[in-house]
Amino acid sequence: MRFRILGPLEVCADADPGTSHSPQAAKLRVVLGTLLVRANEVVSVGTLIDELWPDAPPRTATTTLQVYVSHLRKVLRGADPDHGGSALVTRRPGYVLRVGAGALDTMAFAELSRCGHRALQAGDFAAAAESHRQALALWRGPVLSDTPHGAVLDGAAVRLNEARVTALDERIRAELNLGRHREVLAELHELVAEHRLHEEFHAYLMVALYRCGRQAEALRVFTLLRQTLVEELGIEPGPASRELQRRILEGDPALSRPGTRETAAATGSGPAAWSAAPGTDLPGSDPYFTGRSEELAELERLLRAAPAGARVAVTGLPGTGKSALAVEAAHRAADAFPDGLLYLDLRAGADGQPPRAVDRLPDAGPRRTAGDGRTGGPRRLLLLDHVASEAQVRPLLAAAPDAVVLLTAGRVPAGLPGLRSVVLGPWSRDEVPRLAGLFAVRGGPGGADCADPDAVAETAELCGRLPLAVRASAAQLAARPHWTVAALADRLREERGRLDALRTGDVDVRARLYAAYAACPEPARRAFRLLGALPPGRFGPREAAAALDVDEREAAAALEVLADERLVALERDGCRLPELLRLLAAELLAREEPPEVARAAAERVCGAYADAAAERGRAPDAAACGLVHLARTAHEAGLWELTVRLTDALGGWVREDMEAAYGLALDAAVRCSDRAAQARMLRSLGDLAWQHRRLERARELYGRALDLARGAGDGEEAGRALVGLAELLLDAGSATDAAALLEPALAALTGPGRARGRYEASRTRALLALAQEEPETARVWFGECLELAGALRDHRLEVYARRSLRALGTGPAVGSRGAVEVRPGLWRLHPRPHPSPVGT
């Protein structure tokens, strides 16, 4: 089969290429189109539902989607009876459409465009023009022109249209450098009319007209461009366009000679086409650059103090903004390099050494005398962007031995002596408040919500504070003005669809992270995939060893390798998979490893975390979310006992977001017939219901827990259920009834190993004493709470007990008529009696 989406959707069989087997129904075309723009990737059910029904999916959306997929498989079998049915594969959490190399027109377009780009960078203009011409011939109209578009297809259309414009741009450059200005003149008039704000197309038209002897018309093109930019955007044309106007006014003969360096600059085939200032090849500063104050200051200091021949590197995790930081620092330190700044993007060459790159390095120039009387060579800065290896940069360093070199790379290139590095990770939390400007500028209705600090902070955290991801999310708002930052955060909360949501236009966070992964050797890639079984948060060699199924020494070595590849962050207090890399690792584990391997890794990790939690007791705040994540993983894998153990390790956490975790553990306890565990989970769910004032629900849950605990012979859990019921009675003002339940509860919770339950019973007994206005009795029971908290090594409970004891010394405000802290951070307010009206 061959698929075409650069125009109307077509499915053709190799045996009968003239016959289209495309689905007739629009909804089927939406499903197929979405799978094709994400060919060979898992597309989640949620993503497909959002694409089919962008506004309000029906209640039967999942079932209807399954019907569509079934129909789609029939269409594919019609196009290819042998293999069509197996091309569409169900893979959690959605589906994958397997498409071979060359079977999709977008893949062919991308490959031809890459060939054209490489040829252009190498100066082979004929090959560049031909490759781009073949790429553009694949387009038959707008992307999926016969298919309704939702968010995914809209984003793909924007991305592909941008790629088409880039291919047009580079093809025209190549044609002009081949002297074909008359052949492209009519096409350039059309492109300028269609892309009124595209300065490069205007520049190409100016050059073509100038070469045809039509200097006045060339200058008129500049005038029209300037009027458009000023009227619509309030800006002037860029430095390259203004420089080209000046050269046309002066009748520069170099512009008439195709293929020369001057012509290349004028037609955009070199960085001088977008230079920021005279004497520099540096791209302009990013107008949205923000944060990185410490790293920027350090990098600027290193550049200003660098002696001739010094090397400085900016390295770090993918998507951390290495290039943007390097360019910003170079601009700020530009006055320290009076002999010029040169920028080279090293992504172009297939072998990392495009021949024309070395030719573009300026001559060293005459030696000069420094201000202090010493002699020295030219003071120049060479910025090498996207360095992949030491071998890639050595010829450039040899060609400019006296230049200060600033390079950006994923990892520090080995073998460069005297290299100083600035390492980038995610934005720090202190920098998050500064990010509101990104959202305020780029989208969202109103403006107040766009800069809402809570919504921005949550969005940044969900993006792992990764600059590329945060900016992709801001771009989402710009593309969808009906969204708010809060709505965007809501879409990002679901882990399995988050990387899908962080793709807009030509910015694809998943693709950028995957490129860093794909560049690693296979052993490192496999280790990275297996680490996808880990929960969010920090981990150490013990947890990594469980994921990798090796000993701790081998795990530590594997982590060092991944840290060198910038896929794992090594910190003083442990290791961390940056959040979006963790999501990618989990995806890859599910997609590239056999199901039994993924399940075994999940079982080992869940067991290791459950064992560690049992050793240390109640999970600290930072670990609780990880345990909830693993409990969900264990439940999905059918590991019922581990689900219960991991949830038990939460130690009775009663946060609203943990209700689902207790519900899953209750289901797991039922499946493994553990009645005592069922009682524990019901009691924990009762605590949550009590905290959120669902009192009837709490009473029902405590009652069920009590019955199950008694039936299982679990005296401790029965006692804790009695404490819950007593506290409900105390809430309702039934102190006598509460006391009747607390007496057997305290008796059941006496003895070794029951300190947690005893603490809760003592706390409730102290509250009963306060309700009965017996402060001395309350002091005794809060004192017991303090001792028990110390034995439990629970700082939170200890602080609560101390605070309650101090409050007892503040007088009559504490007690039945005042505000009482009934649990850590939770207060019961008792209104004071109003004074009687005068005369009554």
Side-chain angles (χ1 to χ4, degrees), residues 434-684:
R434 305 182 194 176
L435 307 183
L438 289 174
F439 296 90
V441 170
R442 294 198 172 195
D449 178 79
C450 294
D452 173 52
D454 292 337
V456 170
E458 183 182 8
T459 301
E461 289 297 331
L462 291 169
C463 292
R465 287 178 277 113
L466 189 72
L468 177 68
V470 173
R471 294 179 62 163
S473 64
Q476 291 270 23
L477 291 177
R480 296 170 178 80
H482 57 286
W483 283 13
T484 63
V485 182
L488 174 63
D490 187 56
R491 288 174 175 263
L492 293 174
R493 285 190 195 105
E494 177 55 46
E495 284 191 359
R496 287 176 178 165
R498 192 176 306 166
L499 290 175
D500 287 330
L502 292 173
R503 174 149 73 175
T504 179
D506 59 352
V507 179
D508 187 342
V509 175
R510 178 192 279 108
R512 184 76 64 85
L513 299 179
Y514 184 85
Y517 157 82
C520 299
E522 173 53 26
R525 291 201 301 269
R526 184 169 190 275
F528 178 73
R529 293 193 296 269
L530 290 172
L531 291 180
L534 294 173
R538 290 183 176 85
F539 60 91
R542 175 179 178 177
E543 292 78 13
L548 303 178
D549 198 18
V550 297
D551 62 35
E552 291 190 29
R553 180 184 57 80
E554 292 175 286
L559 292 174
E560 289 287 351
V561 171
L562 289 172
D564 288 342
E565 299 291 348
R566 299 294 186 251
L567 295 178
V568 166
L570 297 184
E571 301 173 347
R572 291 181 180 179
D573 52 353
C575 308
R576 183 172 49 83
L577 266 177
E579 183 60 12
L580 297 184
L581 282 169
R582 184 186 66 80
L583 297 182
L584 177 66
E587 274 190 10
L588 294 169
L589 178 60
R591 189 172 74 207
E592 298 189 7
E593 294 289 346
E596 61 272 15
V597 171
R599 188 180 189 279
E603 185 169 7
R604 291 193 303 271
V605 168
C606 288
Y609 275 78
D611 291 344
E615 291 172 9
R616 66 172 175 253
R618 185 176 187 270
D621 295 13
C625 291
L627 291 173
V628 170
H629 175 94
L630 287 177
R632 187 183 308 118
T633 299
H635 189 273
E636 289 176 355
L639 303 170
W640 312 127
E641 292 184 4
L642 276 173
T643 304
V644 171
R645 288 181 60 201
L646 289 161
T647 310
D648 277 336
L650 295 173
W653 270 94
V654 284
R655 288 195 339 216
E656 185 175 9
D657 57 346
M658 292 185 176
E659 186 168 5
Y662 289 124
L664 291 176
L666 175 60
D667 177 72
V670 171
R671 290 174 183 268
C672 61
S673 302
D674 187 339
R675 297 172 72 188
Q678 293 174 51
R680 293 196 299 276
M681 301 312 149
L682 286 167
R683 188 253 310 152
S684 295

Side-chain angles (χ1 to χ4, degrees), residues 313-471:
V314 179
T315 67
L317 300 168
T320 48
K322 298 181 286 292
S323 297
L325 177 68
V327 169
E328 185 71 19
H331 275 290
R332 295 197 181 197
D335 60 300
F337 300 96
D339 295 301
L341 300 92
L342 183 67
Y343 172 91
L344 293 176
D345 188 337
L346 299 185
R347 286 177 297 187
D351 60 356
Q353 300 178 45
R356 293 177 65 86
V358 176
D359 295 342
R360 286 184 50 227
L361 291 175
D363 296 333
R367 299 181 71 80
R368 61 184 176 84
T369 301
D372 59 1
R374 294 177 297 173
T375 60
R379 182 73 173 158
R380 300 177 297 166
L381 177 66
L382 173 60
L383 200 168
L384 304 178
D385 205 3
H386 303 105
V387 171
S389 66
E390 170 198 358
Q392 192 180 32
V393 299
R394 281 203 176 278
L396 301 172
L397 300 181
D402 293 330
V404 173
V405 177
L406 173 60
L407 59 90
T408 71
R411 59 178 299 177
V412 177
L416 297 182
L419 187 70
R420 303 288 299 276
S421 294
V422 174
V423 181
L424 295 187
W427 271 315
S428 71
R429 285 190 170 86
D430 292 341
E431 291 175 313
V432 168
R434 305 182 194 176
L435 307 183
L438 289 174
F439 296 90
V441 170
R442 294 198 172 195
D449 178 79
C450 294
D452 173 52
D454 292 337
V456 170
E458 183 182 8
T459 301
E461 289 297 331
L462 291 169
C463 292
R465 287 178 277 113
L466 189 72
L468 177 68
V470 173
R471 294 179 62 163

